[in-house]
Amino acid sequence: MSSVRVGEDGIARCGWADSDPEYRRYHDEEWGTALHGDRALFEKMSLEGFQAGLSWITILRKRPRFREVFAGFDPAVVAAFGPDDIERLMGDAGIIRNRAKIEATISNSRLMLDLEPGELDALLWSFAPAQHRPPATFAEVPATTPESEAMSKALRTRGFRFVGPTTMYALMQSAGMVDDHVAGCWRARR
């Protein structure tokens, strides 16, 4: 795959973003844009956890249903989910039916209730590197960084699950904590 592709619309994007209209929209409007707010970051963290081992396009296509069945990722609502809810979610083909990931999302929501407002936002953003050189090519994009490893460790220490360093680096990319738009992409920082 080329690091940059020019789409039918004449716009140069990161190569992965030109394979599907939903990817193009996500790339152009969301990926790498600073995301703040506990609930928004909790959703992002949860969806990145569900993505582990799968392609992100699968998650994007299922995101509306995820939002519906997880009550908009409202931690107070999800924290009240019990065994019947887990079985209901396991039977829903509109989401990723992985019991460990479903249970982790519910468990993580309960941990969210122990945090002060703004605490998850502050915690996650505290790991954003002060300096980050955008990559020239895909070959320069890491799977993990010391910051994503530290973020993962801090979350796991608090009891969060499905927050490994690779998953947390993906969150850092998608939430705009790092800019990994490759050189030549219209969204790459100059």
Side-chain angles (χ1 to χ4, degrees):
M1 175 187 306
S2 172
S3 290
V4 174
R5 284 187 170 167
V6 176
E8 302 166 351
D9 56 5
I11 297 175
R13 293 179 178 86
C14 297
W16 61 265
D18 196 50
S19 63
D20 182 276
E22 182 59 17
Y23 259 167
R24 282 191 292 279
R25 187 212 56 76
Y26 177 71
H27 171 273
D28 291 356
E29 299 173 14
E30 292 184 58
W31 194 73
T33 300
L35 179 67
H36 285 281
D38 291 343
R39 191 163 164 177
L41 288 166
F42 174 64
E43 174 184 335
K44 183 72 72 176
M45 184 172 67
S46 299
L47 293 175
E48 293 289 356
F50 273 103
Q51 186 270 333
L54 303 169
S55 68
W56 185 245
I57 193 65
T58 301
I59 302 303
L60 283 178
R61 289 177 180 150
K62 292 178 178 280
R63 184 166 60 172
R65 184 65 180 156
F66 271 112
R67 286 175 170 166
E68 186 178 340
V69 300
F70 281 103
F73 290 93
D74 181 340
V77 175
V78 178
F81 284 9
D84 290 344
D85 296 295
I86 293 170
E87 293 311 312
R88 172 181 53 83
L89 294 168
M90 285 297 295
D92 193 323
I95 66 167
I96 305 303
R97 295 178 289 181
N98 179 301
R99 185 175 300 275
K101 293 176 181 182
I102 290 168
E103 289 175 350
T105 301
I106 296 167
S107 173
N108 291 348
S109 71
R110 292 174 182 148
L111 295 170
M112 289 288 296
L113 299 181
D114 295 333
L115 301 178
E116 295 295 323
E119 189 174 349
L120 181 68
D121 186 301
L123 175 66
L124 296 180
W125 276 91
S126 75
F127 295 100
Q131 298 289 323
H132 178 76
R133 186 177 59 85
T137 67
F138 278 138
E140 293 181 14
V141 177
T144 65
T145 62
E147 293 87 358
S148 74
E149 290 170 9
M151 179 189 285
S152 172
K153 183 177 180 180
L155 289 166
R156 287 191 323 254
T157 297
R158 287 168 172 78
F160 286 91
R161 295 167 30 206
F162 277 92
V163 292
T166 301
T167 300
M168 290 304 92
Y169 191 70
L171 180 143
M172 294 175 84
Q173 291 173 305
S174 65
M177 295 172 194
V178 296
D179 177 11
D180 276 348
H181 289 283
V182 296
C185 170
W186 77 272
R187 294 230 22 231
R189 293 184 191 144
R190 304 292 180 257

